[in-house]
Amino acid sequence: MRACRRFGAAIDVNPDDRPGHMLWRLFVRAPRETQSTRQVRALRAIAAPCLRALRRLSRGSGTPNRSDAAATPVADGLFSALYTERRLVHALLLVVGLIAIGFIATTPMEWTQQLWFSGGLFALAVLLRKRSGRAVTLVLISLSLIATARYFWWRVNYSLDLGSPMELVLGWGLFLAECYALAILLLSFIQSAWPLKRRPVALPADSADWPSVDIFIPTYNEPIDVVRPTVLAALNLDWPADKLTIYLLDDGRRDAFRELAEAAGVVYMTRPDNKHAKAGNLNHALAQSQGEFIAIFDCDHVPVRSFLTTTMGWMLADPKCALVQTPHHFFSPDPMERNLGTFRRVPNEGRLFYGLIQDGNDLWNATFFCGSCAVLRRGPLEEVGGIAVETVTEDAHTSLKMHRRGYNSVYINQVLAAGLATESLAAHIGQRIRWARGMTQIFSADNPLLRRGLSWYQRLCYSTSMLHFLHGVPRLIFLTAPLAYLYFGWHVFDAEAIAIAAFAVPHLVQAVIANSHMQGRFRHSYWAEVYESLLAWYIALPTTLALINPRFGRFNVTAKGGQVSRSYFDWRISLPFLVLMALGLVGFLIGIARLVFGPGGEAATILLNLAWTGYNLIILGAAVGVARENRQLRRTHRVDWHDPVHLILPDGRTVSAESRDFSLGGMHLALDEPLALSRGDAVEIILPLGPPNVRFPARVISEGTHLRLAFDQLDLIQQRALVAATFSRPDAWEHWDDPAEVDRPLASLREILVFGIKGYGLLFRPLLSLTRRMRPVRPTATDTH
């Protein structure tokens, strides 16, 4: 009994639990760390006395035949058996669950019965959705799978008997798009339902036992003001100086960068050509360096000084660990956040991936390299031939190769570096096109489902991330499918409208509820449709061609650190949205006319297609709203920051103040009362949490209780000290997501509706201006002579 209690404490099991609860915690709830040394010792503590008792019974003796130590291999075998049993329990539960879902899905029901059944599922989901816990997540996923299975069973058996050849083509095209969406839904449930939430591992107390690390900062055409903070932050890393080498890898071969490297005391490295772009740049440095580990940062990603001390523990704890990845975090708004005004309130497009998906991948040992904010072990990296050069997403391809050779990966879901988001929608879409093309290239050329060396869960996680980027064609089908009926009367469903709604709506609603419960902190409901609609037209062709020929496409560098000098509407980038919007508006008007003047028997079908088209128009309106670029003149983005500072006035007096925000160009301070300062006055700032005895000279640019200051020209020592006191602080981004709102599906739908309507309003003014410019000018009386 004592041994059982020790084991229970080791895996966080309450010894007073009922046996069923204990089995649940042991075989279902216990995380992967159950395989740790502490759990092994606890299992041995149980196994040894049990084996001794069994041996006494078999021999009829009151004493064991061998020592306790001799029973250890058998205890290890028992642990292996228990772990195998746990996996068998998982498999058994999965099989039983699938059989139950299949039975429920195939039970015949009229649409009225389906409505009652779906209402019961919905009521249960509403009761559970606000409760926390992984058990609730699994139940909501099960409810979603039941509704989805019923819909697709009905869809296959009762809605595909289409008439004319055109209806057959359109109807099966829509069905295949739905099958793609179903595959992504199922795979995303597997990928994200159980995030590991791994914690860092402590390093040895003696820093003499820490390994050597090389820091690679690749750059090509980025401004030096973007790169300098990253270099200075790398110098501030908490790591023995004799075991840290920083490399500035300049593929642009610029004198200013060479001078920066020399002044900062880091290694400046170039190469004779730019072959294979970023991957080639990193591989060239890999061949010229010797560190046991390599940390890679994009040139705009500024690391906190605890980056290595937080990540390297796992490398030392697991000799098979080849990669430790951390989130990509952006302290500037991306185009959607800036143009729609959702910065830090609505999670951005990448938050779901770095907040949940990578954490879910980690459970299955499938975290993949994202090109920056990561540490790699030199041995495995060299074993796979360095950074992959066959595709334009060299990062994910590299980790895939390492996973295939049996190496492990780790994801630490803590923000340990921060960078700049893309400034314009055109740059943002260009970056996503490269990602989509590259991931499709990997799926085509090095398919994880077919290659050896991966577990099935790793295959599924990689495939989910790759297949996600094939959403271009399905999304275009969903945006245009109802127009076939509104324009031409072609049916894409062979079923009554009320039956379609009875089976389709529960499937969609249950998926929204389940995803909202899992993703509510990282992605708000319905925003995925906006993101996908923005990209659909642009990635449809590149991904299709990459499937056919993986060698198609080349690497393009994402521009960072630019400005938007004036507000304008980007007609070029928004043209596909505008075409789809025009088609939808005309179809909507035709539908209303048919509803008013057409045969009465079609009213339900017309209303269904009008509702579908109306939703698409709202999504397209929000997408068009993003195409209205708001002005952004700052070269250095301000970051919210609330901390005490000291201000030295021109007369030498020191007053206390509190910062409101900062940038590398200035600071905003809050004062208790106005000071006798005028614009242009010279002051100095002391940051209590910065290096001692470092003062930052500044000029007043705005007086009052809210004092705005611009830094004077800072030397390199002062710039490094400023970075150390701000961007490099270990807690710099700890509470960044606190203002973000947790998803509420109805509130999110209302917000999307507001943004969609605003999009049409934003479009009206530039359309009016364009019409005026295109209007012919009448000749005046003077012009006729």
Side-chain angles (χ1 to χ4, degrees), residues 158-187:
Y158 301 102
S159 69
L160 291 176
D161 188 16
L162 299 163
S164 67
M166 184 57 69
E167 288 179 331
L168 198 64
V169 170
L170 295 175
W172 273 92
L174 175 61
F175 178 68
L176 292 176
E178 289 180 285
C179 289
Y180 165 82
L182 170 64
I184 294 299
L185 178 68
L186 297 178
L187 290 171

Side-chain angles (χ1 to χ4, degrees), residues 6-7 9-12 33-43:
R6 286 197 296 272
F7 176 67
I11 63 166
D12 191 27
E33 279 76 0
T34 301
Q35 304 171 54
S36 70
T37 305
R38 185 170 59 157
Q39 281 77 17
V40 172
R41 288 198 301 268
L43 281 167

Side-chain angles (χ1 to χ4, degrees), residues 306-499:
S306 59
F307 180 90
L308 290 178
T309 54
T310 303
T311 56
M312 287 297 297
W314 275 105
M315 285 294 193
L316 300 185
D318 180 7
K320 294 289 288 182
C321 180
L323 165 71
V324 177
Q325 180 68 56
T326 68
H328 288 193
H329 172 76
F330 303 100
F331 59 85
S332 66
D334 66 26
M336 284 170 280
E337 293 175 306
R338 187 181 69 251
N339 296 337
L340 295 180
T342 61
F343 185 49
R344 297 189 68 190
R345 185 173 58 81
V346 175
N348 61 30
E349 185 185 8
R351 186 76 180 93
L352 176 65
F353 177 75
Y354 290 108
L356 180 63
I357 291 176
Q358 280 281 59
D359 220 346
N361 286 342
D362 196 24
L363 179 71
W364 311 115
N365 192 27
T367 295
F368 56 82
F369 179 37
C370 299
S372 180
C373 310
V375 182
L376 297 98
R377 192 184 297 268
R378 178 180 291 272
L381 186 57
E382 291 179 338
E383 186 178 331
V384 299
I387 304 295
V389 298
E390 301 91 334
T391 59
V392 295
T393 45
E394 73 292 333
D395 40 20
H397 200 178
T398 300
S399 56
L400 175 64
K401 290 182 175 183
M402 293 192 294
H403 276 134
R404 282 174 49 202
R405 289 180 179 260
Y407 290 104
N408 299 327
S409 61
V410 163
Y411 185 68
I412 297 179
N413 196 358
Q414 294 182 19
V415 176
L416 301 174
L420 294 171
T422 49
E423 274 77 24
S424 67
L425 181 59
H428 184 85
I429 289 177
Q431 183 189 64
R432 270 36 179 195
I433 291 173
R434 175 168 63 83
W435 292 357
R437 184 171 58 221
M439 295 298 273
T440 309
Q441 285 176 325
I442 300 174
F443 190 77
S444 180
D446 200 5
N447 194 315
L449 292 175
L450 304 177
R451 298 288 183 172
R452 293 181 178 180
L454 300 174
S455 71
W456 271 108
Y457 286 119
Q458 288 176 318
R459 297 173 193 270
L460 292 178
C461 288
Y462 270 104
S463 298
T464 305
S465 297
M466 295 171 186
L467 291 173
H468 162 75
F469 286 101
L470 296 177
H471 66 73
V473 173
R475 178 55 56 187
L476 291 175
I477 291 175
F478 293 143
L479 289 171
T480 56
L483 301 181
Y485 178 80
L486 295 177
Y487 274 93
F488 308 107
W490 292 332
H491 292 269
V492 292
F493 285 86
D494 180 34
E496 295 181 0
I498 189 66

Side-chain angles (χ1 to χ4, degrees), residues 593-633:
R594 291 180 61 181
L595 189 64
V596 175
F597 303 107
E602 296 183 354
T605 303
I606 294 173
L607 286 172
L608 179 65
N609 283 279
L610 283 175
W612 189 353
T613 303
Y615 177 77
N616 287 341
L617 287 172
I618 292 299
I619 296 296
L620 290 170
V624 166
V626 181
R628 205 267 186 184
E629 296 281 10
N630 287 329
R631 185 175 63 170
Q632 195 282 112
L633 296 178

Side-chain angles (χ1 to χ4, degrees), residues 134-201:
R134 286 176 172 171
V136 174
T137 299
L138 294 178
V139 172
L140 290 176
I141 289 175
S142 300
L143 296 179
S144 176
L145 292 178
I146 289 171
T148 297
R150 284 202 57 77
Y151 170 69
F152 273 87
W153 178 261
W154 169 85
R155 187 85 165 87
V156 170
N157 288 280
Y158 301 102
S159 69
L160 291 176
D161 188 16
L162 299 163
S164 67
M166 184 57 69
E167 288 179 331
L168 198 64
V169 170
L170 295 175
W172 273 92
L174 175 61
F175 178 68
L176 292 176
E178 289 180 285
C179 289
Y180 165 82
L182 170 64
I184 294 299
L185 178 68
L186 297 178
L187 290 171
S188 65
F189 282 159
I190 295 173
Q191 188 180 42
S192 306
W194 207 284
L196 185 56
K197 300 180 180 178
R198 188 192 299 264
R199 294 181 179 179
V201 170

Side-chain angles (χ1 to χ4, degrees), residues 84-338:
T84 302
E85 184 179 349
R86 177 185 165 196
R87 296 184 65 180
L88 289 174
V89 170
H90 286 173
L92 180 62
L93 290 174
L94 179 62
V95 170
V96 171
L98 291 177
I99 291 174
I101 291 173
F103 176 78
I104 296 172
T106 56
T107 301
M109 294 183 189
E110 297 294 333
W111 67 264
T112 51
Q113 297 171 313
Q114 167 67 15
L115 285 177
W116 280 107
F117 177 75
S118 300
L121 292 183
F122 176 73
L124 181 57
V126 169
L127 287 174
L128 290 175
R129 69 184 183 88
K130 290 188 177 181
R131 296 178 177 272
S132 60
R134 286 176 172 171
V136 174
T137 299
L138 294 178
V139 172
L140 290 176
I141 289 175
S142 300
L143 296 179
S144 176
L145 292 178
I146 289 171
T148 297
R150 284 202 57 77
Y151 170 69
F152 273 87
W153 178 261
W154 169 85
R155 187 85 165 87
V156 170
N157 288 280
Y158 301 102
S159 69
L160 291 176
D161 188 16
L162 299 163
S164 67
M166 184 57 69
E167 288 179 331
L168 198 64
V169 170
L170 295 175
W172 273 92
L174 175 61
F175 178 68
L176 292 176
E178 289 180 285
C179 289
Y180 165 82
L182 170 64
I184 294 299
L185 178 68
L186 297 178
L187 290 171
S188 65
F189 282 159
I190 295 173
Q191 188 180 42
S192 306
W194 207 284
L196 185 56
K197 300 180 180 178
R198 188 192 299 264
R199 294 181 179 179
V201 170
L203 287 164
D206 187 357
S207 61
D209 297 330
W210 298 3
S212 58
V213 180
D214 292 333
I215 307 293
F216 289 175
I217 304 173
T219 178
Y220 173 56
N221 61 357
E222 297 83 0
I224 194 168
D225 290 339
V226 169
V227 181
R228 185 185 292 110
T230 305
V231 174
L232 299 179
L235 292 169
N236 294 329
L237 287 170
D238 294 332
W239 204 256
D242 60 329
K243 296 188 176 185
L244 186 67
T245 308
I246 301 166
Y247 293 85
L248 180 58
L249 313 178
D250 182 21
D251 255 5
R253 294 175 283 279
R254 294 158 289 182
D255 291 337
F257 283 71
R258 182 188 300 275
E259 293 169 3
L260 169 63
E262 291 174 353
V266 305
V267 179
Y268 178 80
M269 187 176 291
T270 62
R271 56 187 179 131
D273 56 43
N274 295 92
K275 189 176 181 180
H276 300 308
K278 178 183 176 181
N281 195 4
L282 293 171
N283 285 335
H284 176 262
L286 186 67
Q288 307 297 320
S289 57
Q290 292 82 34
E292 300 171 63
F293 296 90
I294 297 104
I296 299 175
F297 299 99
D298 282 347
C299 64
D300 63 301
H301 280 159
V302 185
V304 302
R305 63 174 179 264
S306 59
F307 180 90
L308 290 178
T309 54
T310 303
T311 56
M312 287 297 297
W314 275 105
M315 285 294 193
L316 300 185
D318 180 7
K320 294 289 288 182
C321 180
L323 165 71
V324 177
Q325 180 68 56
T326 68
H328 288 193
H329 172 76
F330 303 100
F331 59 85
S332 66
D334 66 26
M336 284 170 280
E337 293 175 306
R338 187 181 69 251

Side-chain angles (χ1 to χ4, degrees), residues 1-7 15:
M1 181 58 67
R2 286 195 300 271
C4 290
R5 290 184 181 276
R6 286 197 296 272
F7 176 67

